[in-house]
Amino acid sequence: MEAAWGAFGSDSDSDDEDNDDPSSTRKNEQSNPNISFESAVSAITTYFASLTKATGVGIGERVVAVKSMINGDEYGEEAVALKVMMTESVIRRGMKVVAGDDDDVSSMLCDAGVLIVGDESDLQSRSSLNIRHGLIPGGFMWLIVKRQQNEIDNNSCFDCFPDSIWGEIYCVSTSSSYSVHKIQKRACLVNAISCSWMDKKSIIEREVALAAEETCGNLNAVENESYIQFELSMSSRVTVVPSVAERTREKIISSADEVYTTILTDANIKNAIGKLRDHGLVIIKGLLPPEQTIPWGNVVLEDFTSAVETLKNHQTRPVDLLNPDKGQFEPLSYREMAMREDLRVDLRSGPSIERLRLKEKNLALEAMTGINVTNVGNQPTIITAETMGAARSSWRYHPSILAILKGLFNPRDDSLYKGNFGRWNFGGNGPDGSPQPFRLGQIGSVVSCPGSGDQAIHADTPHLFEHTDCHPCHYCNVFTPGYRITNDQTENSPSVQNEFVDGLWTGNSTMGGTALVYDSHRLSVSAMLLSEDDKGNENDDDASLRRQLLQLLTLRPALDAGDVVIFDNRTLHYGIANISKGDTTGKDPNAGRRPMLYLNVTQSWFHDPKVSSFVY
C-alpha cells in the first residue's frame, strides 16, 4: 500500500499508522475495505500539503467534492453509508466537503473529487458528470470502484475520460472489495483541430527530442511520445490554476447570482511571473469573471459591424472588409481600426467601445487609489508602485494582473537593488526596491472573422539588445476571449463547431485562437527555429529538423471566457485560422467572429510606433 502512494510522498498521519507490519496491513485490507477509503483521503491530504508552499493555499482552504453512486442508486443504504464515511474522513483531515446540488453544476466547484461507484456505468450519472464539470483544471479525481466478480481491471473501461481533457488513469490501490483509481484533469487544453498542416499525431523522433533538450533544456521530451501528448504536457507546464479559495476570494457583484473574481495568492503571482520570465508566456485559468469580459466582446462586435457597413457604403472609397477580393479599393488602417490581414482587424475604438470605456473609467476613479486621474482616459495609464488595482471596476485593473506585470517589469536581486542610487533623480525615493512605473494600454480587440487564415509566425517587438540571450521584458500583451465557448450545436447555430464530450469542452473549436512558441522569447531559441546560416546553405536535413522543432514547441492553448494568457512580445506567435462557417441563417452577422481582447503593456520609457500611431 505504501508503495502504491509513493508518488505523493510518505504519509505520517498517525490515523493511518495503526499497524507497522506491512504484511498485517495487507491482510487487514482484504477483510476491511475501508482501508482503501482511508488511503485515498490520506493521499489527497498529502498531495495538497505538498502544494501549500508552492501555491500559498493551505489544506484547510481546499475543497473536496464527494459523491457515491452504487448500481445507479445514490440514495441506497450502501451508497449513503460509503458517502458518509468518506465525508467524515475528509473533514477529519481538515478539508472542506461540498456535496453539491445535481441541478447546479457550479455548486460542485472543487479542488479534488471523490466518486464512489458500483461499476463504470455509474460514471455516466448526473452526480459523476457534475463533479467532472466542477473539478478545477489540474485537479485530481479519485475513483473508488466496487470490484465486481469477473472484473477486468483495464483503463479502457473509463471511456468517459478522454485524453484531450484527462491524463492517464492509474489504479493505485486494490482490496477485496474496491479498487482506487486516480486521474488528473488537464490544467490546459489545446485546440488540436487547428493548424491542420502540422502533424501533431506523429511520434517524436530521438533526434528531435535531443535537439529540443539542447535548445531549451529541461523539456523532458520523451522519444516515442506523440507531439500532441507533449503539447498537452507543456501547455499545462506554463499554466497557473487558481484554487477554489482563490476563485471565490472577492465578490464583485452582489445579487441573486453572486459573481466572484479570482484573486491569486502571492505564491501563485510569483509562479506566474516565473513562467513568464522562463518561458515567455503564462496561462491563467479562470482569472477573470466573464461578466466583465463578455460585455467588451459584445461592444467590439457592435462597433465592428458598424464599421463594416460604414466602409462598404462609403461614397468615394467603398471597401468590403468581408469580401476583400471583390472590392474596388483595398482597406487601409483607420483611426479606430488597423488591418492585420484579410478578415482580421485590430479594433481600438468606436462609439460602443468609448461608452463602455468611459463607464469603467468612472468606476476606476471611484474605486482605485494611487492612480493618476489625468491618465485614466483614452490614453495608456501609468501604473505606479502605489496602484493596487480594483477588481470591481474593470478587468483592465485586475489586482492580480497588475501584480504580475509589476513583478515582470521589475526583476530584483535583494543583494543588489540598494546600490541603485540613480533612483534619487527625477523626484524618486532612492534605492528602495519598489516597482518602477509601467504603461498600461486601453482595452482593444483583434477580431478574426470566419475565413481568416493562419497568420505568419512573428514577434510583436524586437529585442533591445543582441549581446545576451534574453533581457528582462519591456513589452507584453494580455489576452482574454471576449466570447464564451458554448455547447449549442443545433441546426439553428451551425456557424461554429466546439467539440464537447459529456458536456466538457475538449479544447477543439473552429474559431481558432492564438498559437505561441514555448521559450521563443530567447534569441537562441528563435535563432535555432527560424534562422538559416549566413550563406543560406541550409541542407534538407537541417531544415526538416527546424520544422519539427518548431512543431514540437508550438502550443495552441484553448481559452474560454475568463482565461488569460500573458506573453512577452518577443515570443513567436500567430493568430490561428478561423474556419467557422459564419452567418448561415442571415440572422446573426457576428456568428463565428472571434473577438480576442488585449492590453498592450510596456515599460514606461518604451513606445511602440504602431501603437502610438493610433488615437484612442
Side-chain angles (χ1 to χ4, degrees), residues 334-354:
Y334 304 93
R335 176 182 181 275
E336 303 87 355
M337 183 173 67
M339 300 303 302
R340 289 292 176 246
E341 296 86 22
D342 287 348
L343 301 174
R344 182 177 279 115
V345 303
D346 185 347
L347 189 63
R348 299 172 179 270
S349 185
S352 298
I353 289 176
E354 291 301 328

Side-chain angles (χ1 to χ4, degrees), residues 386-456:
E386 292 76 30
T387 310
M388 303 311 295
R392 291 174 180 267
S393 63
S394 169
W395 70 267
R396 180 174 178 242
Y397 297 111
H398 192 283
S400 295
I401 291 178
L402 296 189
I404 292 168
L405 296 173
K406 287 177 184 178
L408 176 67
F409 286 134
N410 292 276
R412 192 184 78 177
D413 187 321
D414 287 343
S415 66
L416 298 176
Y417 76 87
K418 292 182 180 179
N420 192 5
F421 276 84
R423 292 191 67 177
W424 284 115
N425 294 319
F426 311 112
N429 296 321
D432 60 1
S434 61
Q436 300 196 59
F438 63 87
R439 191 184 306 272
L440 180 69
Q442 295 287 341
I443 298 171
S445 179
V446 174
V447 180
S448 299
C449 298
S452 59
D454 291 324
Q455 281 187 305

Side-chain angles (χ1 to χ4, degrees), residues 214-285:
E214 182 179 348
T215 302
C216 298
N218 195 30
L219 278 182
N220 299 320
V222 179
E223 184 182 354
N224 295 326
E225 180 183 34
S226 71
Y227 281 81
I228 186 64
Q229 288 172 320
F230 181 78
E231 182 182 5
L232 284 164
S233 173
M234 298 311 290
S235 296
S236 291
R237 178 185 285 196
V238 296
T239 299
V240 171
V241 180
S243 64
V244 173
E246 291 168 283
R247 292 168 183 259
T248 55
R249 189 155 286 168
E250 183 169 338
K251 187 186 299 183
I252 63 169
I253 299 176
S254 297
S255 62
D257 297 320
E258 296 179 334
V259 177
Y260 292 86
T261 190
T262 298
I263 302 295
L264 297 178
T265 62
D266 291 343
N268 269 337
I269 287 171
K270 185 177 179 180
N271 289 337
I273 295 167
K275 294 178 189 297
L276 259 169
R277 287 180 181 161
D278 292 344
H279 307 303
L281 70 149
V282 65
I283 300 157
I284 309 172
K285 302 297 291 184

Side-chain angles (χ1 to χ4, degrees), residues 52-65:
T52 297
K53 184 176 180 181
T55 64
V57 181
I59 291 178
E61 297 179 279
R62 294 294 184 175
V63 178
V64 180

Side-chain angles (χ1 to χ4, degrees), residues 297-312:
N298 292 339
V299 298
V300 163
L301 292 177
E302 287 176 19
D303 283 342
F304 177 72
T305 301
S306 176
V308 167
E309 292 302 313
T310 298
L311 290 172
K312 187 176 181 179

Side-chain angles (χ1 to χ4, degrees), residues 467-500:
H467 69 291
T468 189
D469 198 17
C470 188
H471 267 83
C473 180
H474 63 281
Y475 189 175
C476 73
N477 277 334
V478 181
F479 277 15
T480 190
Y483 54 92
R484 294 179 188 269
I485 298 296
T486 62
N487 190 16
D488 183 20
Q489 306 304 310
T490 65
E491 293 182 0
N492 295 324
S493 59
S495 61
V496 177
Q497 293 181 343
N498 301 317
E499 183 182 58
F500 281 74

Side-chain angles (χ1 to χ4, degrees), residues 92-402:
R92 191 164 61 247
R93 299 298 185 101
M95 293 171 281
K96 301 175 182 178
V97 174
V98 55
D101 178 356
D102 283 342
D103 294 325
D104 181 11
V105 175
S106 64
S107 69
M108 297 301 295
L109 188 65
C110 57
D111 298 297
V114 178
L115 275 172
I116 309 167
V117 294
D119 55 40
E120 285 73 37
S121 64
D122 290 334
L123 291 171
Q124 294 297 333
S125 67
R126 177 175 287 186
S127 294
S128 168
L129 294 175
N130 283 354
I131 285 191
R132 278 185 270 155
H133 278 257
L135 182 65
I136 64 172
F140 274 97
M141 180 76 73
W142 303 88
L143 306 172
I144 302 177
V145 184
K146 187 173 183 179
R147 301 195 67 176
Q148 307 293 329
Q149 197 170 18
N150 302 322
E151 175 191 19
I152 299 176
D153 286 328
N154 191 318
N155 287 347
S156 64
C157 64
F158 298 103
D159 292 333
C160 57
F161 295 95
D163 291 343
S164 56
I165 304 172
W166 303 89
E168 187 175 353
I169 295 179
Y170 297 93
C171 181
V172 293
S173 172
T174 60
S175 73
S176 59
S177 302
Y178 292 91
S179 61
V180 181
H181 308 256
K182 71 177 174 118
I183 182 171
Q184 188 174 25
K185 201 173 190 180
R186 297 196 185 277
C188 184
L189 309 177
V190 303
N191 192 346
I193 65 171
S194 64
C195 307
S196 58
W197 44 271
M198 287 196 291
D199 183 12
K200 286 278 192 172
K201 294 182 180 179
S202 61
I203 301 301
I204 302 171
E205 298 177 354
R206 176 176 174 79
E207 182 184 16
V208 177
L210 292 174
E213 195 69 26
E214 182 179 348
T215 302
C216 298
N218 195 30
L219 278 182
N220 299 320
V222 179
E223 184 182 354
N224 295 326
E225 180 183 34
S226 71
Y227 281 81
I228 186 64
Q229 288 172 320
F230 181 78
E231 182 182 5
L232 284 164
S233 173
M234 298 311 290
S235 296
S236 291
R237 178 185 285 196
V238 296
T239 299
V240 171
V241 180
S243 64
V244 173
E246 291 168 283
R247 292 168 183 259
T248 55
R249 189 155 286 168
E250 183 169 338
K251 187 186 299 183
I252 63 169
I253 299 176
S254 297
S255 62
D257 297 320
E258 296 179 334
V259 177
Y260 292 86
T261 190
T262 298
I263 302 295
L264 297 178
T265 62
D266 291 343
N268 269 337
I269 287 171
K270 185 177 179 180
N271 289 337
I273 295 167
K275 294 178 189 297
L276 259 169
R277 287 180 181 161
D278 292 344
H279 307 303
L281 70 149
V282 65
I283 300 157
I284 309 172
K285 302 297 291 184
L287 179 63
L288 304 173
E291 288 80 2
Q292 287 186 335
T293 57
I294 297 302
W296 273 98
N298 292 339
V299 298
V300 163
L301 292 177
E302 287 176 19
D303 283 342
F304 177 72
T305 301
S306 176
V308 167
E309 292 302 313
T310 298
L311 290 172
K312 187 176 181 179
N313 297 317
H314 197 276
Q315 293 185 353
T316 58
R317 200 180 187 283
V319 172
D320 191 344
L321 291 178
L322 303 182
N323 297 283
D325 295 334
K326 298 180 180 179
Q328 181 180 356
F329 296 97
E330 290 286 327
L332 305 172
S333 286
Y334 304 93
R335 176 182 181 275
E336 303 87 355
M337 183 173 67
M339 300 303 302
R340 289 292 176 246
E341 296 86 22
D342 287 348
L343 301 174
R344 182 177 279 115
V345 303
D346 185 347
L347 189 63
R348 299 172 179 270
S349 185
S352 298
I353 289 176
E354 291 301 328
R355 284 192 292 270
L356 183 54
R357 190 170 285 163
L358 177 62
K359 176 183 176 182
E360 292 193 351
K361 165 189 170 181
N362 292 332
L363 288 173
L365 290 174
E366 293 175 6
M368 293 175 65
T369 59
I371 192 165
N372 187 336
V373 176
T374 60
N375 285 338
V376 185
N378 285 342
Q379 296 300 316
T381 302
I382 298 298
I383 301 297
T384 67
E386 292 76 30
T387 310
M388 303 311 295
R392 291 174 180 267
S393 63
S394 169
W395 70 267
R396 180 174 178 242
Y397 297 111
H398 192 283
S400 295
I401 291 178
L402 296 189

